[in-house]
């Protein structure tokens, strides 16, 4: 059974930064691909970033590349999402995801392919 605990969300002013964390418990082979999606009110789920557990490959949605950085903390069994230069349109519930299959280029366009989803952590960007 995969358990995922997200943290790090909150309220921040435009231009600010936040770091989200998702700690996993369960088989490491169930999380060969780990990442983040987000969903704003009345909008579809949107991929943010993903990373393979080994090998170092990372994937970003083009619009977020450069502002968001995904990283893995193997010692803590965690995936992190560092967000900077935040904009009001980044306001959303951010979900940690994992899947036994390795990430591919299309992973962030296919939310239904991810077997495991966290409960979400809210990020609000406003002045």
């Amino acid at each position: 059974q995969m358990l995922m605990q997200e943290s790090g969300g909150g309220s921040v002013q435009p231009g600010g930064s936040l770091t989200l964390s998702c700690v996993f418990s369960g088989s490491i082979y169930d999380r060969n691909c780990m990442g983040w999606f987000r969903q704003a009110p009345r909008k579809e789920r949107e991929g943010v970033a993903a990373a393979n557990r080994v090998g170092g490959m990372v994937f970003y949605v083009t619009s977020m590349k450069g502002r968001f950085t995904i990283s893995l903390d193997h010692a803590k069994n965690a995936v992190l999402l560092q967000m900077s230069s935040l904009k009001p349109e980044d306001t959303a519930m951010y979900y940690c995801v994992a899947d036994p299959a390795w990430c591919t280029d299309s992973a962030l366009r296919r939310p239904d392919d991810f077997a495991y989803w966290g409960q979400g952590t809210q990020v609000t960007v406003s002045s």
Side-chain angles (χ1 to χ4, degrees):
Q1 182 182 1
M2 177 70 70
L3 297 177
M4 301 142 78
Q5 183 63 54
E6 298 132 320
S7 62
S11 295
V12 64
Q13 292 187 339
S17 301
L18 283 173
T19 297
L20 307 183
S21 173
C22 177
V23 177
F24 296 90
S25 61
S27 171
I28 61 172
Y29 302 109
D30 282 339
R31 51 182 173 90
N32 285 328
C33 178
M34 293 171 275
W36 296 90
F37 278 75
R38 69 184 187 183
Q39 188 169 24
R42 298 175 297 280
K43 291 192 174 181
E44 299 286 327
R45 290 177 296 180
E46 178 182 29
V48 177
N52 281 325
R53 181 173 56 81
V54 296
M57 289 194 73
V58 296
F59 304 85
Y60 293 96
V61 171
T62 302
S63 62
M64 299 174 209
K65 195 172 182 179
R67 295 193 300 123
F68 292 7
T69 302
I70 190 170
S71 61
L72 304 179
D73 185 336
H74 294 288
K76 296 182 180 179
N77 293 326
V79 60
L80 308 177
L81 184 68
Q82 296 173 277
M83 306 184 293
S84 62
S85 302
L86 284 163
K87 306 174 183 179
E89 50 264 43
D90 294 317
T91 295
M93 186 71 79
Y94 284 70
Y95 295 93
C96 176
V97 296
D99 196 80
W102 297 105
C103 304
T104 64
D105 286 343
S106 65
L108 293 174
R109 298 191 297 274
R110 302 165 67 93
D112 290 339
D113 285 357
F114 284 87
Y116 303 103
W117 287 71
Q119 294 298 308
T121 184
Q122 178 68 37
V123 172
T124 302
V125 184
S126 71
S127 54

